[in-house]
Amino acid sequence: MVRFNILPKDIMIEILIRLPTQSVLKCKLVSKQWRDLIHHPSFSQLHLNYLNHSDAHADAGKLNYIFSTMGIEKQFYYTEYDDENFHETTPFSRQTRIKLDPPFIDNYILSSCDGLICFNARCNKEEFYYEPAYICNPITREYIILPKLEEEHMIDLLFGFGYNSSTNEYKVVRIYNSKREPNVGIIQVYTLGSGNGWRNVGKMNMDIKHLGQCAGAFANEALHWVDQERNIILAFHLTDEKFSELPPPPPCLTRAGVPYLVLGLGVLGDFLSATFYFNAGDCNMWLLKKNKDTDTDLSWSKEFSFDSYIHLPFDFMKSGRLLCCGRGKIVSYDPKASSAEMDVSFGKSISAAIPHKNTLVSLKVLGEKDTKTMESGESTSSSEETESSDKLKKP
């Protein structure tokens, strides 16, 4: 300990940023010197950079997720998945209920980006539409409430959340039609820490009802939606805050005369994914990858076919397995196996699953002046919960 403390500060920081996030939290309690280093505004970004770019991290082989249960009063669970041990009874560990406390009537997770979770919510009983309303980091316990949409004539809404690396900015996007301009999409952006609130960044000819899903899929520093009427993918780029059009995957609208029900966009691993759900009950899944010949141009690659449209894919493993959420359960598909295998059940009906990363990204450091702190949250492992619903432990 004494020898460590006589090291130059830059060397101490280089050591600390290589620790898993939970270990860094423990290090803050060791000494005032360590606490001050970890609380330095630059530390969280340095730690995040290491998490994003190093395969040497102690938890690099594990993937993290947050699951939410069905119903208005949702519960949220954090868990870790070890892809190398998928053949075990359950490759999931640290199944922990977390207290996120969005202060709204009904809410669901829009997305998680670098440890920041953005929620969509209904703000009161009179409003039946959802909009980006709440952002938190369950590790730092910080949260902000976003200004609500002040538009009396709003009729449809799109939204998304992502990160622009060139400017080191996190942005929330919402696009809406109004009764006054029903075929015009009004585009607004909220940049965390800017102090500018929602900015109008333009308009675009679009009827939001023709887009297949409200939540934009964030990949390649852009948010993506499907225009079902024109059979194109719309990409809103966070760098220049402009739209472009992408061609859909090549399969086409029909397969042997069987039309598809819907084309759903998502993000699997680091790739934009497109899943065709067919009337026959099966699915084809494509990923947008760099062209092997040019290493720059993106092209669609067919990766999966499976026979259950009730399972929604949410992550793609290096082993080739596909994690899906459906009928309240989490299952995985192995392309070499004939059927899905059950991985985990929390004793609750799971409605959604998203990849998540534990980070120290601070809303306050980003510049959010109205950052608040959640009450000290309690968590319960699923095994303890089945034994006693009253037996809680601190995270």
Side-chain angles (χ1 to χ4, degrees), residues 126 172 230 238 280 377:
E126 286 71 37
V172 188
R230 295 190 293 160
L238 297 187

Side-chain angles (χ1 to χ4, degrees), residues 147 189-191 194-199:
V189 175
Y190 184 100
T191 303
S194 68
N196 296 325
W198 290 101
R199 295 179 289 112

Side-chain angles (χ1 to χ4, degrees), residues 266-302:
V267 179
L268 299 176
D270 296 325
F271 306 109
L272 180 69
S273 70
T275 305
F276 287 82
Y277 298 88
F278 291 96
N279 275 337
D282 59 338
C283 308
N284 287 339
M285 190 196 75
W286 296 68
L287 297 180
L288 189 62
K289 294 183 172 183
K290 285 185 178 180
N291 191 306
K292 292 182 179 179
D293 297 328
T294 64
D295 197 40
T296 53
D297 297 333
L298 297 174
S299 59
W300 289 101
S301 170
K302 185 177 179 181

Side-chain angles (χ1 to χ4, degrees), residues 103-104 117 133-137 142-147 172 190 192-193 363-364 368-372:
F104 302 103
I117 303 174
Y134 178 81
I135 296 177
C136 73
N137 184 334
E142 294 177 342
Y143 74 92
I144 59 170
I145 297 175
L146 299 174
V172 188
Y190 184 100
L192 269 62
L363 292 165
K364 189 177 296 184
E368 282 294 324
K369 295 180 179 179
D370 293 329
T371 298
K372 299 178 176 60

Side-chain angles (χ1 to χ4, degrees), residues 320-339:
R321 296 168 68 85
L322 185 69
L323 291 184
C324 303
C325 177
R327 287 187 173 175
K329 305 294 183 183
I330 304 299
V331 300
S332 67
Y333 282 93
D334 186 338
K336 300 177 183 179
S338 58
S339 61

Side-chain angles (χ1 to χ4, degrees), residues 233-271:
I233 294 174
L234 296 174
F236 182 79
H237 302 274
L238 297 187
T239 301
D240 59 7
E241 298 180 347
K242 302 292 184 182
F243 268 102
S244 68
E245 297 180 1
L246 301 178
C252 39
L253 301 180
T254 62
R255 187 205 58 214
V258 180
Y260 72 87
L261 286 170
V262 67
L263 166 57
L265 291 183
V267 179
L268 299 176
D270 296 325
F271 306 109

Side-chain angles (χ1 to χ4, degrees), residues 303-316:
E303 299 288 338
F304 250 101
S305 294
F306 52 102
D307 59 2
S308 182
Y309 61 82
I310 61 170
H311 292 141
L312 303 177
F314 64 88
D315 209 354
F316 187 54

